[in-house]
Amino acid sequence: MLINILLGFVFPWIFGIWLYLRSPKIVLTIGPFASVLSYIVNVWGIYNHYWILTPVLEVKTASVLPMNLGLFPIIACCTYFLIFRTRTQPVVWILFFSVAQTLLESIAYYFGKVQYFNGWNIGGTFLSYLIPALITYIYFALLISKGVLEENDPDLT
């Protein structure tokens, strides 16, 4: 579990603190939303027995909790920070980070940290990252349309 905490929470939040200092509005708006989505997806996958993360604890979702609070929200914040910063088409960054997360999970699968069941595969994994990223983009666009985030805000770039 120490590996999960270090790789899933501590190391991502070292970068997350830097990101917060650069763009607090992104971290404070996108981070919690992405964390909730991550939790929903992981609970769905674990309790439908599509995947499990080791170590398997009594509360099965506890193993993925560090990622739900660290890695996944920080990656989402980084995605939207880069969308603002580079003015690149959002789909480019969304696809890039969805593929990167899928590759990271492929490595975890190879080393036995993640196990798949009931026909789950790497394609499903990619979709489990892409769909929440697209939902987060809709939320991001809503924040902009409602004036919570502004495209020319210096705190975002």
Side-chain angles (χ1 to χ4, degrees):
M1 188 66 183
L2 181 62
I3 295 292
N4 296 16
I5 293 168
L6 289 173
L7 296 179
F9 186 80
V10 175
F11 293 152
W13 270 107
I14 290 170
F15 178 72
I17 291 167
W18 174 85
L19 191 58
Y20 175 81
L21 295 173
R22 299 286 313 265
S23 185
K25 288 182 182 178
I26 290 285
V27 175
L28 293 173
T29 56
I30 299 298
F33 185 79
S35 184
V36 168
L37 277 181
S38 173
Y39 182 78
I40 290 167
V41 169
N42 278 310
V43 165
W44 173 82
I46 290 167
Y47 281 97
N48 284 299
H49 204 64
Y50 288 125
W51 64 79
I52 195 74
L53 186 70
T54 61
V56 179
L57 304 173
E58 186 176 339
V59 177
K60 293 178 183 178
T61 57
S63 294
V64 78
L65 186 60
M67 279 63 90
N68 289 340
L69 298 174
L71 183 64
F72 300 135
I74 295 303
I75 287 174
C77 291
C78 187
T79 302
Y80 295 97
F81 175 77
L82 289 170
I83 287 170
F84 259 110
R85 181 81 178 193
T86 63
R87 306 287 184 198
T88 303
Q89 286 294 320
V91 70
V92 172
W93 288 117
I94 290 168
L95 285 173
F96 173 80
F97 281 106
S98 296
V99 168
Q101 286 176 281
T102 302
L103 290 173
L104 283 174
E105 186 162 319
S106 296
I107 293 167
Y109 178 81
Y110 176 78
F111 285 106
K113 265 318 259 178
V114 179
Q115 298 171 9
Y116 294 154
F117 308 98
N118 293 331
W120 194 260
N121 57 39
I122 209 66
T125 297
F126 173 73
L127 291 176
S128 77
Y129 290 122
L130 179 63
I131 292 168
L134 293 171
I135 292 168
T136 304
Y137 181 73
I138 293 167
Y139 176 68
F140 176 73
L142 181 66
L143 291 173
I144 291 171
S145 74
K146 296 299 181 188
V148 176
L149 298 177
E150 297 174 18
E151 291 188 49
N152 297 321
D153 190 335
D155 284 344
L156 297 176
T157 59

PDB file of all heavy atoms in Angstrom, residues 70-103:
ATOM      1  N   GLY A  70      -5.170  11.868  -5.668  1.00  0.00           N
ATOM      2  CA  GLY A  70      -3.889  12.417  -6.096  1.00  0.00           C
ATOM      3  C   GLY A  70      -3.674  12.381  -7.590  1.00  0.00           C
ATOM      4  O   GLY A  70      -3.850  13.371  -8.287  1.00  0.00           O
ATOM      5  N   LEU A  71      -3.299  11.226  -8.095  1.00  0.00           N
ATOM      6  CA  LEU A  71      -2.893  11.098  -9.492  1.00  0.00           C
ATOM      7  C   LEU A  71      -3.965  11.568 -10.480  1.00  0.00           C
ATOM      8  O   LEU A  71      -3.690  12.393 -11.354  1.00  0.00           O
ATOM      9  CB  LEU A  71      -2.511   9.646  -9.791  1.00  0.00           C
ATOM     10  CG  LEU A  71      -1.999   9.372 -11.202  1.00  0.00           C
ATOM     11  CD1 LEU A  71      -0.696  10.102 -11.442  1.00  0.00           C
ATOM     12  CD2 LEU A  71      -1.828   7.875 -11.407  1.00  0.00           C
ATOM     13  N   PHE A  72      -5.178  11.063 -10.353  1.00  0.00           N
ATOM     14  CA  PHE A  72      -6.204  11.370 -11.343  1.00  0.00           C
ATOM     15  C   PHE A  72      -6.628  12.837 -11.333  1.00  0.00           C
ATOM     16  O   PHE A  72      -6.720  13.453 -12.401  1.00  0.00           O
ATOM     17  CB  PHE A  72      -7.392  10.417 -11.206  1.00  0.00           C
ATOM     18  CG  PHE A  72      -7.000   8.969 -11.401  1.00  0.00           C
ATOM     19  CD1 PHE A  72      -7.455   7.989 -10.550  1.00  0.00           C
ATOM     20  CD2 PHE A  72      -6.143   8.587 -12.429  1.00  0.00           C
ATOM     21  CE1 PHE A  72      -7.100   6.651 -10.717  1.00  0.00           C
ATOM     22  CE2 PHE A  72      -5.772   7.259 -12.614  1.00  0.00           C
ATOM     23  CZ  PHE A  72      -6.252   6.294 -11.761  1.00  0.00           C
ATOM     24  N   PRO A  73      -6.867  13.457 -10.182  1.00  0.00           N
ATOM     25  CA  PRO A  73      -7.197  14.889 -10.231  1.00  0.00           C
ATOM     26  C   PRO A  73      -6.025  15.763 -10.690  1.00  0.00           C
ATOM     27  O   PRO A  73      -6.233  16.754 -11.397  1.00  0.00           O
ATOM     28  CB  PRO A  73      -7.628  15.240  -8.809  1.00  0.00           C
ATOM     29  CG  PRO A  73      -7.333  14.083  -7.968  1.00  0.00           C
ATOM     30  CD  PRO A  73      -7.093  12.894  -8.843  1.00  0.00           C
ATOM     31  N   ILE A  74      -4.804  15.388 -10.343  1.00  0.00           N
ATOM     32  CA  ILE A  74      -3.652  16.190 -10.779  1.00  0.00           C
ATOM     33  C   ILE A  74      -3.474  16.083 -12.287  1.00  0.00           C
ATOM     34  O   ILE A  74      -3.178  17.077 -12.961  1.00  0.00           O
ATOM     35  CB  ILE A  74      -2.374  15.786 -10.018  1.00  0.00           C
ATOM     36  CG1 ILE A  74      -2.505  16.116  -8.533  1.00  0.00           C
ATOM     37  CG2 ILE A  74      -1.137  16.459 -10.617  1.00  0.00           C
ATOM     38  CD1 ILE A  74      -2.796  17.577  -8.214  1.00  0.00           C
ATOM     39  N   ILE A  75      -3.664  14.898 -12.840  1.00  0.00           N
ATOM     40  CA  ILE A  75      -3.590  14.762 -14.298  1.00  0.00           C
ATOM     41  C   ILE A  75      -4.672  15.606 -14.965  1.00  0.00           C
ATOM     42  O   ILE A  75      -4.420  16.277 -15.969  1.00  0.00           O
ATOM     43  CB  ILE A  75      -3.675  13.285 -14.720  1.00  0.00           C
ATOM     44  CG1 ILE A  75      -2.365  12.576 -14.371  1.00  0.00           C
ATOM     45  CG2 ILE A  75      -3.985  13.150 -16.215  1.00  0.00           C
ATOM     46  CD1 ILE A  75      -2.379  11.083 -14.610  1.00  0.00           C
ATOM     47  N   ALA A  76      -5.875  15.596 -14.421  1.00  0.00           N
ATOM     48  CA  ALA A  76      -6.949  16.421 -14.983  1.00  0.00           C
ATOM     49  C   ALA A  76      -6.595  17.904 -14.910  1.00  0.00           C
ATOM     50  O   ALA A  76      -6.782  18.645 -15.883  1.00  0.00           O
ATOM     51  CB  ALA A  76      -8.264  16.146 -14.251  1.00  0.00           C
ATOM     52  N   CYS A  77      -6.068  18.343 -13.778  1.00  0.00           N
ATOM     53  CA  CYS A  77      -5.668  19.749 -13.633  1.00  0.00           C
ATOM     54  C   CYS A  77      -4.577  20.106 -14.637  1.00  0.00           C
ATOM     55  O   CYS A  77      -4.610  21.180 -15.250  1.00  0.00           O
ATOM     56  CB  CYS A  77      -5.180  20.029 -12.215  1.00  0.00           C
ATOM     57  SG  CYS A  77      -6.474  19.957 -10.970  1.00  0.00           S
ATOM     58  N   CYS A  78      -3.635  19.221 -14.811  1.00  0.00           N
ATOM     59  CA  CYS A  78      -2.553  19.439 -15.771  1.00  0.00           C
ATOM     60  C   CYS A  78      -3.118  19.544 -17.188  1.00  0.00           C
ATOM     61  O   CYS A  78      -2.692  20.407 -17.973  1.00  0.00           O
ATOM     62  CB  CYS A  78      -1.538  18.314 -15.659  1.00  0.00           C
ATOM     63  SG  CYS A  78      -0.073  18.576 -16.661  1.00  0.00           S
ATOM     64  N   THR A  79      -4.075  18.700 -17.512  1.00  0.00           N
ATOM     65  CA  THR A  79      -4.703  18.736 -18.833  1.00  0.00           C
ATOM     66  C   THR A  79      -5.293  20.122 -19.109  1.00  0.00           C
ATOM     67  O   THR A  79      -5.023  20.725 -20.151  1.00  0.00           O
ATOM     68  CB  THR A  79      -5.819  17.676 -18.930  1.00  0.00           C
ATOM     69  OG1 THR A  79      -5.272  16.392 -18.667  1.00  0.00           O
ATOM     70  CG2 THR A  79      -6.491  17.702 -20.294  1.00  0.00           C
ATOM     71  N   TYR A  80      -6.075  20.634 -18.169  1.00  0.00           N
ATOM     72  CA  TYR A  80      -6.758  21.909 -18.404  1.00  0.00           C
ATOM     73  C   TYR A  80      -5.823  23.099 -18.244  1.00  0.00           C
ATOM     74  O   TYR A  80      -6.011  24.122 -18.902  1.00  0.00           O
ATOM     75  CB  TYR A  80      -8.031  21.984 -17.561  1.00  0.00           C
ATOM     76  CG  TYR A  80      -8.950  20.908 -18.083  1.00  0.00           C
ATOM     77  CD1 TYR A  80      -9.029  19.663 -17.470  1.00  0.00           C
ATOM     78  CD2 TYR A  80      -9.604  21.093 -19.289  1.00  0.00           C
ATOM     79  CE1 TYR A  80      -9.780  18.654 -18.020  1.00  0.00           C
ATOM     80  CE2 TYR A  80     -10.364  20.081 -19.843  1.00  0.00           C
ATOM     81  CZ  TYR A  80     -10.448  18.869 -19.210  1.00  0.00           C
ATOM     82  OH  TYR A  80     -11.177  17.857 -19.776  1.00  0.00           O
ATOM     83  N   PHE A  81      -4.795  22.954 -17.450  1.00  0.00           N
ATOM     84  CA  PHE A  81      -3.753  23.982 -17.395  1.00  0.00           C
ATOM     85  C   PHE A  81      -3.076  24.097 -18.764  1.00  0.00           C
ATOM     86  O   PHE A  81      -2.870  25.202 -19.280  1.00  0.00           O
ATOM     87  CB  PHE A  81      -2.725  23.631 -16.311  1.00  0.00           C
ATOM     88  CG  PHE A  81      -1.546  24.557 -16.259  1.00  0.00           C
ATOM     89  CD1 PHE A  81      -1.660  25.810 -15.679  1.00  0.00           C
ATOM     90  CD2 PHE A  81      -0.326  24.181 -16.791  1.00  0.00           C
ATOM     91  CE1 PHE A  81      -0.573  26.674 -15.621  1.00  0.00           C
ATOM     92  CE2 PHE A  81       0.765  25.027 -16.750  1.00  0.00           C
ATOM     93  CZ  PHE A  81       0.644  26.281 -16.157  1.00  0.00           C
ATOM     94  N   LEU A  82      -2.750  22.961 -19.363  1.00  0.00           N
ATOM     95  CA  LEU A  82      -2.089  22.973 -20.673  1.00  0.00           C
ATOM     96  C   LEU A  82      -3.025  23.452 -21.781  1.00  0.00           C
ATOM     97  O   LEU A  82      -2.583  24.102 -22.732  1.00  0.00           O
ATOM     98  CB  LEU A  82      -1.510  21.604 -20.994  1.00  0.00           C
ATOM     99  CG  LEU A  82      -0.283  21.238 -20.153  1.00  0.00           C
ATOM    100  CD1 LEU A  82       0.094  19.789 -20.346  1.00  0.00           C
ATOM    101  CD2 LEU A  82       0.885  22.156 -20.476  1.00  0.00           C
ATOM    102  N   ILE A  83      -4.311  23.145 -21.664  1.00  0.00           N
ATOM    103  CA  ILE A  83      -5.267  23.662 -22.647  1.00  0.00           C
ATOM    104  C   ILE A  83      -5.246  25.189 -22.614  1.00  0.00           C
ATOM    105  O   ILE A  83      -5.187  25.846 -23.654  1.00  0.00           O
ATOM    106  CB  ILE A  83      -6.684  23.101 -22.387  1.00  0.00           C
ATOM    107  CG1 ILE A  83      -6.737  21.623 -22.791  1.00  0.00           C
ATOM    108  CG2 ILE A  83      -7.737  23.911 -23.154  1.00  0.00           C
ATOM    109  CD1 ILE A  83      -8.010  20.905 -22.367  1.00  0.00           C
ATOM    110  N   PHE A  84      -5.284  25.759 -21.435  1.00  0.00           N
ATOM    111  CA  PHE A  84      -5.218  27.213 -21.301  1.00  0.00           C
ATOM    112  C   PHE A  84      -3.865  27.753 -21.733  1.00  0.00           C
ATOM    113  O   PHE A  84      -3.769  28.734 -22.447  1.00  0.00           O
ATOM    114  CB  PHE A  84      -5.459  27.642 -19.848  1.00  0.00           C
ATOM    115  CG  PHE A  84      -6.841  28.136 -19.592  1.00  0.00           C
ATOM    116  CD1 PHE A  84      -7.720  27.391 -18.831  1.00  0.00           C
ATOM    117  CD2 PHE A  84      -7.270  29.352 -20.091  1.00  0.00           C
ATOM    118  CE1 PHE A  84      -9.004  27.848 -18.577  1.00  0.00           C
ATOM    119  CE2 PHE A  84      -8.544  29.820 -19.849  1.00  0.00           C
ATOM    120  CZ  PHE A  84      -9.415  29.061 -19.094  1.00  0.00           C
ATOM    121  N   ARG A  85      -2.822  27.117 -21.274  1.00  0.00           N
ATOM    122  CA  ARG A  85      -1.462  27.621 -21.487  1.00  0.00           C
ATOM    123  C   ARG A  85      -1.040  27.592 -22.947  1.00  0.00           C
ATOM    124  O   ARG A  85      -0.414  28.530 -23.434  1.00  0.00           O
ATOM    125  CB  ARG A  85      -0.504  26.784 -20.639  1.00  0.00           C
ATOM    126  CG  ARG A  85       0.914  27.156 -20.697  1.00  0.00           C
ATOM    127  CD  ARG A  85       1.167  28.303 -19.787  1.00  0.00           C
ATOM    128  NE  ARG A  85       2.577  28.625 -19.823  1.00  0.00           N
ATOM    129  CZ  ARG A  85       3.160  29.404 -18.975  1.00  0.00           C
ATOM    130  NH1 ARG A  85       2.455  29.942 -18.023  1.00  0.00           N
ATOM    131  NH2 ARG A  85       4.423  29.654 -19.069  1.00  0.00           N
ATOM    132  N   THR A  86      -1.355  26.512 -23.639  1.00  0.00           N
ATOM    133  CA  THR A  86      -0.859  26.344 -25.006  1.00  0.00           C
ATOM    134  C   THR A  86      -1.859  26.779 -26.066  1.00  0.00           C
ATOM    135  O   THR A  86      -1.494  26.910 -27.217  1.00  0.00           O
ATOM    136  CB  THR A  86      -0.498  24.868 -25.273  1.00  0.00           C
ATOM    137  OG1 THR A  86      -1.682  24.074 -25.173  1.00  0.00           O
ATOM    138  CG2 THR A  86       0.563  24.380 -24.300  1.00  0.00           C
ATOM    139  N   ARG A  87      -3.110  26.952 -25.688  1.00  0.00           N
ATOM    140  CA  ARG A  87      -4.167  27.304 -26.645  1.00  0.00           C
ATOM    141  C   ARG A  87      -4.295  26.261 -27.756  1.00  0.00           C
ATOM    142  O   ARG A  87      -4.721  26.551 -28.852  1.00  0.00           O
ATOM    143  CB  ARG A  87      -3.951  28.694 -27.239  1.00  0.00           C
ATOM    144  CG  ARG A  87      -3.785  29.785 -26.229  1.00  0.00           C
ATOM    145  CD  ARG A  87      -5.079  30.102 -25.574  1.00  0.00           C
ATOM    146  NE  ARG A  87      -4.868  31.243 -24.657  1.00  0.00           N
ATOM    147  CZ  ARG A  87      -5.676  31.560 -23.697  1.00  0.00           C
ATOM    148  NH1 ARG A  87      -6.753  30.867 -23.500  1.00  0.00           N
ATOM    149  NH2 ARG A  87      -5.431  32.573 -22.913  1.00  0.00           N
ATOM    150  N   THR A  88      -3.877  25.036 -27.433  1.00  0.00           N
ATOM    151  CA  THR A  88      -4.006  23.910 -28.355  1.00  0.00           C
ATOM    152  C   THR A  88      -5.441  23.405 -28.296  1.00  0.00           C
ATOM    153  O   THR A  88      -6.118  23.560 -27.280  1.00  0.00           O
ATOM    154  CB  THR A  88      -3.032  22.782 -27.933  1.00  0.00           C
ATOM    155  OG1 THR A  88      -1.715  23.314 -27.907  1.00  0.00           O
ATOM    156  CG2 THR A  88      -3.082  21.602 -28.873  1.00  0.00           C
ATOM    157  N   GLN A  89      -5.890  22.777 -29.350  1.00  0.00           N
ATOM    158  CA  GLN A  89      -7.225  22.189 -29.345  1.00  0.00           C
ATOM    159  C   GLN A  89      -7.354  21.248 -28.146  1.00  0.00           C
ATOM    160  O   GLN A  89      -6.487  20.388 -27.938  1.00  0.00           O
ATOM    161  CB  GLN A  89      -7.475  21.411 -30.638  1.00  0.00           C
ATOM    162  CG  GLN A  89      -7.698  22.288 -31.833  1.00  0.00           C
ATOM    163  CD  GLN A  89      -8.991  23.081 -31.709  1.00  0.00           C
ATOM    164  OE1 GLN A  89     -10.011  22.573 -31.252  1.00  0.00           O
ATOM    165  NE2 GLN A  89      -8.936  24.343 -32.103  1.00  0.00           N
ATOM    166  N   PRO A  90      -8.410  21.384 -27.361  1.00  0.00           N
ATOM    167  CA  PRO A  90      -8.568  20.543 -26.164  1.00  0.00           C
ATOM    168  C   PRO A  90      -8.483  19.049 -26.444  1.00  0.00           C
ATOM    169  O   PRO A  90      -7.930  18.304 -25.645  1.00  0.00           O
ATOM    170  CB  PRO A  90      -9.960  20.917 -25.650  1.00  0.00           C
ATOM    171  CG  PRO A  90     -10.167  22.310 -26.151  1.00  0.00           C
ATOM    172  CD  PRO A  90      -9.480  22.376 -27.482  1.00  0.00           C
ATOM    173  N   VAL A  91      -8.990  18.614 -27.586  1.00  0.00           N
ATOM    174  CA  VAL A  91      -8.990  17.181 -27.882  1.00  0.00           C
ATOM    175  C   VAL A  91      -7.565  16.623 -27.924  1.00  0.00           C
ATOM    176  O   VAL A  91      -7.348  15.458 -27.570  1.00  0.00           O
ATOM    177  CB  VAL A  91      -9.772  16.889 -29.191  1.00  0.00           C
ATOM    178  CG1 VAL A  91      -9.031  17.398 -30.414  1.00  0.00           C
ATOM    179  CG2 VAL A  91     -10.078  15.412 -29.312  1.00  0.00           C
ATOM    180  N   VAL A  92      -6.601  17.432 -28.316  1.00  0.00           N
ATOM    181  CA  VAL A  92      -5.212  16.970 -28.375  1.00  0.00           C
ATOM    182  C   VAL A  92      -4.725  16.594 -26.980  1.00  0.00           C
ATOM    183  O   VAL A  92      -4.181  15.500 -26.768  1.00  0.00           O
ATOM    184  CB  VAL A  92      -4.296  18.044 -29.003  1.00  0.00           C
ATOM    185  CG1 VAL A  92      -2.834  17.660 -28.887  1.00  0.00           C
ATOM    186  CG2 VAL A  92      -4.682  18.293 -30.452  1.00  0.00           C
ATOM    187  N   TRP A  93      -4.916  17.480 -26.005  1.00  0.00           N
ATOM    188  CA  TRP A  93      -4.465  17.206 -24.638  1.00  0.00           C
ATOM    189  C   TRP A  93      -5.296  16.110 -23.988  1.00  0.00           C
ATOM    190  O   TRP A  93      -4.771  15.272 -23.247  1.00  0.00           O
ATOM    191  CB  TRP A  93      -4.476  18.470 -23.789  1.00  0.00           C
ATOM    192  CG  TRP A  93      -3.384  19.412 -24.151  1.00  0.00           C
ATOM    193  CD1 TRP A  93      -3.513  20.681 -24.647  1.00  0.00           C
ATOM    194  CD2 TRP A  93      -1.972  19.178 -24.059  1.00  0.00           C
ATOM    195  NE1 TRP A  93      -2.274  21.232 -24.878  1.00  0.00           N
ATOM    196  CE2 TRP A  93      -1.316  20.331 -24.524  1.00  0.00           C
ATOM    197  CE3 TRP A  93      -1.202  18.090 -23.649  1.00  0.00           C
ATOM    198  CZ2 TRP A  93       0.074  20.441 -24.570  1.00  0.00           C
ATOM    199  CZ3 TRP A  93       0.177  18.198 -23.706  1.00  0.00           C
ATOM    200  CH2 TRP A  93       0.793  19.360 -24.153  1.00  0.00           C
ATOM    201  N   ILE A  94      -6.600  16.091 -24.252  1.00  0.00           N
ATOM    202  CA  ILE A  94      -7.463  15.059 -23.672  1.00  0.00           C
ATOM    203  C   ILE A  94      -7.026  13.681 -24.169  1.00  0.00           C
ATOM    204  O   ILE A  94      -6.892  12.735 -23.385  1.00  0.00           O
ATOM    205  CB  ILE A  94      -8.945  15.349 -23.989  1.00  0.00           C
ATOM    206  CG1 ILE A  94      -9.406  16.584 -23.193  1.00  0.00           C
ATOM    207  CG2 ILE A  94      -9.823  14.146 -23.697  1.00  0.00           C
ATOM    208  CD1 ILE A  94     -10.745  17.143 -23.617  1.00  0.00           C
ATOM    209  N   LEU A  95      -6.787  13.556 -25.461  1.00  0.00           N
ATOM    210  CA  LEU A  95      -6.319  12.277 -26.002  1.00  0.00           C
ATOM    211  C   LEU A  95      -4.927  11.926 -25.495  1.00  0.00           C
ATOM    212  O   LEU A  95      -4.662  10.767 -25.143  1.00  0.00           O
ATOM    213  CB  LEU A  95      -6.331  12.302 -27.531  1.00  0.00           C
ATOM    214  CG  LEU A  95      -7.698  12.186 -28.184  1.00  0.00           C
ATOM    215  CD1 LEU A  95      -7.597  12.405 -29.692  1.00  0.00           C
ATOM    216  CD2 LEU A  95      -8.327  10.830 -27.879  1.00  0.00           C
ATOM    217  N   PHE A  96      -4.035  12.914 -25.444  1.00  0.00           N
ATOM    218  CA  PHE A  96      -2.680  12.670 -24.955  1.00  0.00           C
ATOM    219  C   PHE A  96      -2.700  12.095 -23.540  1.00  0.00           C
ATOM    220  O   PHE A  96      -2.063  11.073 -23.270  1.00  0.00           O
ATOM    221  CB  PHE A  96      -1.852  13.963 -24.988  1.00  0.00           C
ATOM    222  CG  PHE A  96      -0.510  13.815 -24.334  1.00  0.00           C
ATOM    223  CD1 PHE A  96       0.543  13.217 -25.015  1.00  0.00           C
ATOM    224  CD2 PHE A  96      -0.301  14.241 -23.023  1.00  0.00           C
ATOM    225  CE1 PHE A  96       1.787  13.048 -24.404  1.00  0.00           C
ATOM    226  CE2 PHE A  96       0.931  14.085 -22.409  1.00  0.00           C
ATOM    227  CZ  PHE A  96       1.973  13.490 -23.099  1.00  0.00           C
ATOM    228  N   PHE A  97      -3.434  12.741 -22.638  1.00  0.00           N
ATOM    229  CA  PHE A  97      -3.439  12.272 -21.254  1.00  0.00           C
ATOM    230  C   PHE A  97      -4.230  10.974 -21.086  1.00  0.00           C
ATOM    231  O   PHE A  97      -3.890  10.155 -20.223  1.00  0.00           O
ATOM    232  CB  PHE A  97      -3.940  13.366 -20.307  1.00  0.00           C
ATOM    233  CG  PHE A  97      -2.870  14.376 -20.006  1.00  0.00           C
ATOM    234  CD1 PHE A  97      -2.906  15.632 -20.575  1.00  0.00           C
ATOM    235  CD2 PHE A  97      -1.812  14.069 -19.167  1.00  0.00           C
ATOM    236  CE1 PHE A  97      -1.917  16.573 -20.310  1.00  0.00           C
ATOM    237  CE2 PHE A  97      -0.811  14.990 -18.900  1.00  0.00           C
ATOM    238  CZ  PHE A  97      -0.869  16.252 -19.477  1.00  0.00           C
ATOM    239  N   SER A  98      -5.247  10.748 -21.898  1.00  0.00           N
ATOM    240  CA  SER A  98      -5.972   9.472 -21.843  1.00  0.00           C
ATOM    241  C   SER A  98      -5.061   8.329 -22.271  1.00  0.00           C
ATOM    242  O   SER A  98      -5.038   7.267 -21.644  1.00  0.00           O
ATOM    243  CB  SER A  98      -7.220   9.529 -22.716  1.00  0.00           C
ATOM    244  OG  SER A  98      -8.132  10.480 -22.219  1.00  0.00           O
ATOM    245  N   VAL A  99      -4.294   8.548 -23.333  1.00  0.00           N
ATOM    246  CA  VAL A  99      -3.337   7.534 -23.792  1.00  0.00           C
ATOM    247  C   VAL A  99      -2.231   7.342 -22.752  1.00  0.00           C
ATOM    248  O   VAL A  99      -1.854   6.203 -22.436  1.00  0.00           O
ATOM    249  CB  VAL A  99      -2.748   7.908 -25.177  1.00  0.00           C
ATOM    250  CG1 VAL A  99      -1.556   7.030 -25.532  1.00  0.00           C
ATOM    251  CG2 VAL A  99      -3.826   7.813 -26.252  1.00  0.00           C
ATOM    252  N   ALA A 100      -1.718   8.440 -22.196  1.00  0.00           N
ATOM    253  CA  ALA A 100      -0.646   8.342 -21.194  1.00  0.00           C
ATOM    254  C   ALA A 100      -1.110   7.564 -19.969  1.00  0.00           C
ATOM    255  O   ALA A 100      -0.377   6.699 -19.464  1.00  0.00           O
ATOM    256  CB  ALA A 100      -0.171   9.743 -20.794  1.00  0.00           C
ATOM    257  N   GLN A 101      -2.324   7.829 -19.497  1.00  0.00           N
ATOM    258  CA  GLN A 101      -2.840   7.098 -18.345  1.00  0.00           C
ATOM    259  C   GLN A 101      -3.034   5.616 -18.686  1.00  0.00           C
ATOM    260  O   GLN A 101      -2.764   4.745 -17.856  1.00  0.00           O
ATOM    261  CB  GLN A 101      -4.160   7.700 -17.867  1.00  0.00           C
ATOM    262  CG  GLN A 101      -3.978   9.019 -17.147  1.00  0.00           C
ATOM    263  CD  GLN A 101      -5.309   9.614 -16.778  1.00  0.00           C
ATOM    264  OE1 GLN A 101      -5.976  10.202 -17.612  1.00  0.00           O
ATOM    265  NE2 GLN A 101      -5.694   9.459 -15.528  1.00  0.00           N
ATOM    266  N   THR A 102      -3.479   5.351 -19.901  1.00  0.00           N
ATOM    267  CA  THR A 102      -3.652   3.967 -20.330  1.00  0.00           C
ATOM    268  C   THR A 102      -2.305   3.249 -20.366  1.00  0.00           C
ATOM    269  O   THR A 102      -2.190   2.097 -19.931  1.00  0.00           O
ATOM    270  CB  THR A 102      -4.342   3.915 -21.708  1.00  0.00           C
ATOM    271  OG1 THR A 102      -5.603   4.590 -21.625  1.00  0.00           O
ATOM    272  CG2 THR A 102      -4.561   2.479 -22.156  1.00  0.00           C
ATOM    273  N   LEU A 103      -1.280   3.936 -20.851  1.00  0.00           N
ATOM    274  CA  LEU A 103       0.066   3.341 -20.866  1.00  0.00           C
ATOM    275  C   LEU A 103       0.576   3.093 -19.452  1.00  0.00           C
ATOM    276  O   LEU A 103       1.167   2.044 -19.176  1.00  0.00           O
ATOM    277  CB  LEU A 103       1.036   4.230 -21.641  1.00  0.00           C
ATOM    278  CG  LEU A 103       0.816   4.275 -23.150  1.00  0.00           C
ATOM    279  CD1 LEU A 103       1.731   5.314 -23.794  1.00  0.00           C
ATOM    280  CD2 LEU A 103       1.027   2.903 -23.771  1.00  0.00           C
TER     281      LEU A 103
END
